[in-house]
């Protein structure tokens, strides 16, 4: 069972990496933020501006996983290859979690690269801000993967999944910016957020896995 | 002979549909047999195959599966089956070899490279390093047949396996399947619209129409109501005399019961059913 999950995950990751077009969106937010900071705000020294930029970087990278999640289920269903996987002698949950396992590392890796690039490019360094921004990015990656998976299993096409999932970007940006000060100022807020996201993700994954089994 | 599976009064309705996709289907397949599932488009053949594969859930009483082919959940043990359903998707960026190896990795396949090489040769596939996305539809179909056979299954379920293939490729597929049956003692359930080939390949057939089995029997039982008469005519009487009825002094020397072709039986059954459904 575990073996099958790993095989699916490896296969899925291989498929993603062979289609570089899916990875392009991960490069766009950090490049835009770094360039706009250097061009529009040269000589800026307010730490809160840098913090906001790092927060937005984290918030913008996470939704870029949506096209991957959409292709994983709705896309494969559209192409007819999902049924082939379902006809393998493995449990549907192995297929589901295998695909999930392949999706998660990508935004996380890009998050580290993007936040580190921002630090290098702007010269702003505050470990607490860096760590909290990366953590937020990782949590938002889980949130977006969960949202996209949930939608991907319920709609018929990858395009519809993308369109619906991307509506959540605005919500994420608004909420992120409204609660930014609380998030960076209080130590317990990231902890609570982590617990809430992990619980919600586990619940959504379990529900999605059940839906997938019945499809 | 062991019964691999048996449908008993199987009915199925798709969700959000009012009509029956399958209506009281009774059908079984014996171990080692080749059953041709025939019927016009939309007759319910693919639905039947999907139910057998466990892709569509039905009342457990309607389907019984032999212990040998059953998994602990009571459904078909997919590790013993090779399955090709309609319009299977591919991974265009994988090569033929990578594609087949990926699927073979879920089964206990000894020497997968050799097995892929053999299948590629028999099916006249291009170089196995060719990307799936670069293949023609017919070649992709041949790869799907190789995928279904790569782990040497005991039971093969094939839904229109030769639909996109030219006559030469179709012949290669049927020969490959005949050898698989001989070597592995496999059991085959295949649906196809090419009746002349089905007559050669299958040992029994079932005609499905609007979800109902119209006729199901062994291929050897294909009979017609017509007979072949060998007649000795009196001297001076030509066969033209039959135009006015059976000649008075003619003698019937031999009566041969006619063997119908599968095509004529199929057409007859469908026409009769269309008449019945039209009433």
């Amino acid at each position: 069972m575990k073996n099958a999950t790993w095989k699916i995950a490896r296969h899925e990751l291989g498929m993603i990496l062979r289609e570089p077009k899916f990875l392009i969106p991960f490069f766009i937010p950090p490049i835009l933020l770094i360039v706009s900071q250097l061009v529009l705000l040269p000589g800026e020294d307010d730490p809160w501006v840098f913090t906001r930029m790092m927060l937005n970087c984290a918030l913008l990278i996470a939704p870029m996983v949506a096209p991957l999640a959409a292709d994983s289920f709705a896309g494969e269903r559209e192409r007819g290859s999902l049924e082939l996987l379902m006809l393998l002698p493995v449990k549907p949950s192995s297929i589901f979690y295998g695909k999930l396992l392949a999706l998660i590392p990508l935004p996380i890796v890009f998050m580290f690269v993007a936040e580190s690039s921002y630090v290098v490019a702007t010269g702003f360094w505050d470990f607490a801000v860096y760590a909290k921004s990366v953590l937020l990015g990782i949590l938002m990656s889980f949130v977006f993967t969960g949202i996209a998976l949930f939608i991907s299993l319920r709609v018929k096409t990858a395009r519809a999944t993308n369109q619906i999932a991307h509506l959540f970007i605005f919500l994420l940006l608004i909420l992120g910016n409204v609660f930014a000060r609380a998030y960076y100022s209080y130590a317990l807020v990231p902890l609570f957020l982590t617990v809430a996201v992990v619980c919600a993700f586990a619940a959504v994954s379990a529900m999605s896995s059940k839906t997938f089994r019945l499809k | 002979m062991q019964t691999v599976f048996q449908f008993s009064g199987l009915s199925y309705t798709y969700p959000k549909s009012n009509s029956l996709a399958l209506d009281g289907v009774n059908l079984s397949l014996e171990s080692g047999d080749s059953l041709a599932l025939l019927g016009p488009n939309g007759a319910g053949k693919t639905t039947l195959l999907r139910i057998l594969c466990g892709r569509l859930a039905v009342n457990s009483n309607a389907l019984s599966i032999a212990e040998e082919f059953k998994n602990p959940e009571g459904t078909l043990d997919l590790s013993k089956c090779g399955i090709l359903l309609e319009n299977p998707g591919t991974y265009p960026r994988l090569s033929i070899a990578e594609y087949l190896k990926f699927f073979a990795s879920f089964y206990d396949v000894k020497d997968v490279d050799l097995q892929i090489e053999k299948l590629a040769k028999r099916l006249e596939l291009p170089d196995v390093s060719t990307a799936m996305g670069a293949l023609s539809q017919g070649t992709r179909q041949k790869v799907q047949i190789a995928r279904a056979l790569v782990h040497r299954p005991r039971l093969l379920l094939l839904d229109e396996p030769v639909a996109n293939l030219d006559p030469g490729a179709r012949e290669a597929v049927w020969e490959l399947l005949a050898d698989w049956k001989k070597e592995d003692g496999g059991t085959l359930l295949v649906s196809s619209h090419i009746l002349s080939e089905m007559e050669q390949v299958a040992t029994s057939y079932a005609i499905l129409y609007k979800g109902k089995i119209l006729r199901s029997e062994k291929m050897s039982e294909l009979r017609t109501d017509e007979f072949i008469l060998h007649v000795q005519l009196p001297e001076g009487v030509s066969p033209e005399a039959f135009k006015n009825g059976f000649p008075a002094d003619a003698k019937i020397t031999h009566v041969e019961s006619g063997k119908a072709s599968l095509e004529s039986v199929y057409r007859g059954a469908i026409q009769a059913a269309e008449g019945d459904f039209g009433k």
Side-chain angles (χ1 to χ4, degrees), chain A:
Chain A
M1 172 80 166
K2 268 185 189 166
N3 194 14
T5 307
W6 279 113
K7 274 182 199 165
I8 298 280
R10 229 171 48 207
H11 165 76
E12 196 67 20
L13 199 56
M15 291 296 96
I16 294 168
L17 296 177
R18 283 185 195 213
E19 294 230 35
K21 68 177 181 199
F22 281 123
L23 302 179
I24 293 170
F26 287 104
F27 292 101
I28 294 170
I31 291 173
L32 279 178
L33 289 172
I34 292 169
V35 170
S36 58
Q37 168 102 34
L38 296 176
V39 174
L40 301 174
L41 302 167
E44 176 63 56
D45 59 356
D46 181 358
W48 186 237
V49 172
F50 291 97
T51 305
R52 284 256 187 208
M53 285 298 216
M54 291 185 80
L55 168 101
N56 284 322
C57 187
L59 292 179
L60 284 170
I61 283 196
M64 301 307 149
V65 77
L68 298 174
D71 191 67
S72 249
F73 292 96
E76 280 224 47
R77 199 184 309 123
E78 269 182 281
R79 290 193 297 274
S81 49
L82 192 60
E83 184 158 51
L84 287 184
L85 296 181
M86 298 295 279
L87 290 169
L88 286 170
V90 298
K91 293 196 167 145
S93 58
S94 286
I95 299 169
F96 179 83
Y97 286 109
K99 283 176 169 283
L100 192 61
L101 214 58
L103 288 175
I104 291 292
L106 287 163
I108 294 175
V109 167
F110 278 101
M111 190 70 58
F112 276 107
V113 173
E115 297 289 9
S116 303
S117 304
Y118 182 82
V119 167
V120 171
T122 61
F124 172 77
W125 174 249
D126 180 326
F127 179 74
V129 171
Y130 176 80
K132 283 182 180 178
S133 300
V134 168
L135 174 67
L136 184 70
I138 292 171
L139 294 177
M140 289 308 112
S141 300
F142 276 91
V143 167
F144 246 85
T145 307
I147 288 171
L149 280 182
F150 198 72
I151 299 165
S152 178
L153 288 167
R154 279 162 178 76
V155 300
K156 286 194 173 131
T157 63
R159 183 190 285 184
T161 308
N162 275 323
Q163 284 171 340
I164 300 169
H166 278 98
L167 290 176
F168 288 86
I169 295 179
F170 303 108
L171 187 67
L172 198 68
L173 277 174
I174 293 166
L175 287 176
N177 281 286
V178 166
F179 295 105
R181 216 168 269 277
Y183 179 77
Y184 284 100
S185 304
Y186 302 104
L188 281 179
V189 176
L191 188 69
F192 284 137
L193 189 65
T194 305
V195 173
V197 168
V198 168
C199 292
F201 185 75
V204 169
S205 306
M207 271 167 63
S208 300
S209 174
K210 197 177 165 191
T211 308
F212 179 65
R213 201 176 67 232
L214 299 172
K215 287 266 170 184

